[in-house]
Amino acid sequence: LGALVMTAGYAASVFGSTVITPSGSCIPAFMLIFTGYICLGRRQSVPYERISILFFGIFYIALLFSFLIQIRSLPAGVSLVFFLLFVTWAGDTGAYLVGRTLGKHLLCPHVSPGKTVEGSCGGILFSIAIAFVCQMTFLQHMNIAHCLAMTFGINVLNQIGDLSESVIKRF
């Protein structure tokens, strides 16, 4: 089912399909999982928790990865994919290094006891530094304001995603 979602992402990017979209293909995937558990169950209640975990796995991995495929199909898509990866890696690295050396104030201790506010700020600074390097080397077609706006958005979503993964790990 995850391959179906990613194939829909590929079709949307290559053929410009608006009929089959990655997010739209999640609905049939969810229906297949749900129906399968109902029909194949053995006189027991429907395991909603198991269904949720399966569907969330498809959503979290396949759907979000399908957007990377769609970004790749844009003009200068390869550059944008590398920009996304570099900014994400720089944010993670900066958060780790600054958090380890200067971190004192916990960011969200009940979710991830090792993440600090200082590390979060360090991640943003490292991401901004890499964004400047990317803009000067292979994103020259993009002005610096757009580059920084994307960097800030990527970094905020990266940190939210990191905290979300911590919640999933704890679950």
Side-chain angles (χ1 to χ4, degrees):
L1 293 174
L4 168 72
V5 173
M6 290 176 50
T7 302
Y10 179 76
S13 65
V14 171
F15 305 114
S17 172
T18 56
V19 175
I20 301 174
T21 63
S23 54
S25 64
C26 278
I27 295 167
F30 177 74
M31 290 171 59
L32 283 171
I33 291 170
F34 197 73
T35 304
Y37 268 102
I38 290 171
C39 294
L40 300 176
R42 294 185 189 95
R43 297 182 192 220
Q44 55 188 347
S45 63
V46 177
Y48 293 106
E49 185 176 303
R50 181 73 181 139
I51 292 170
S52 298
I53 290 169
L54 282 171
F55 181 69
F56 188 74
I58 292 169
F59 167 77
Y60 197 72
I61 297 168
L63 179 64
L64 296 178
F65 189 75
S66 74
F67 291 117
L68 196 62
I69 295 169
Q70 291 181 32
I71 291 170
R72 166 61 181 88
S73 71
L74 295 171
V78 173
S79 298
L80 292 172
V81 168
F82 277 115
F83 174 73
L84 173 67
L85 294 174
F86 291 155
V87 166
T88 301
W89 293 334
D92 286 346
T93 303
Y96 176 78
L97 294 175
V98 173
R100 281 285 181 207
T101 56
L102 304 174
K104 294 184 187 201
H105 302 92
L106 296 178
L107 181 65
C108 197
H110 63 282
V111 171
S112 188
K115 292 186 183 7
T116 63
V117 173
E118 295 83 2
S120 178
C121 294
I124 291 171
L125 292 176
F126 273 57
S127 291
I128 289 171
I130 285 297
F132 277 117
V133 171
C134 291
Q135 198 278 330
M136 289 187 287
T137 55
F138 61 86
L139 283 179
Q140 296 160 344
H141 64 280
M142 186 180 300
N143 72 39
I144 196 69
H146 288 128
C147 206
L148 291 177
M150 285 194 328
T151 299
F152 185 75
I154 290 168
N155 197 275
V156 167
L157 292 173
N158 181 30
Q159 291 186 36
I160 291 170
D162 208 19
L163 290 171
S164 299
E165 286 178 19
S166 294
V167 169
I168 293 167
K169 258 192 321 194
R170 301 217 182 293
F171 176 70

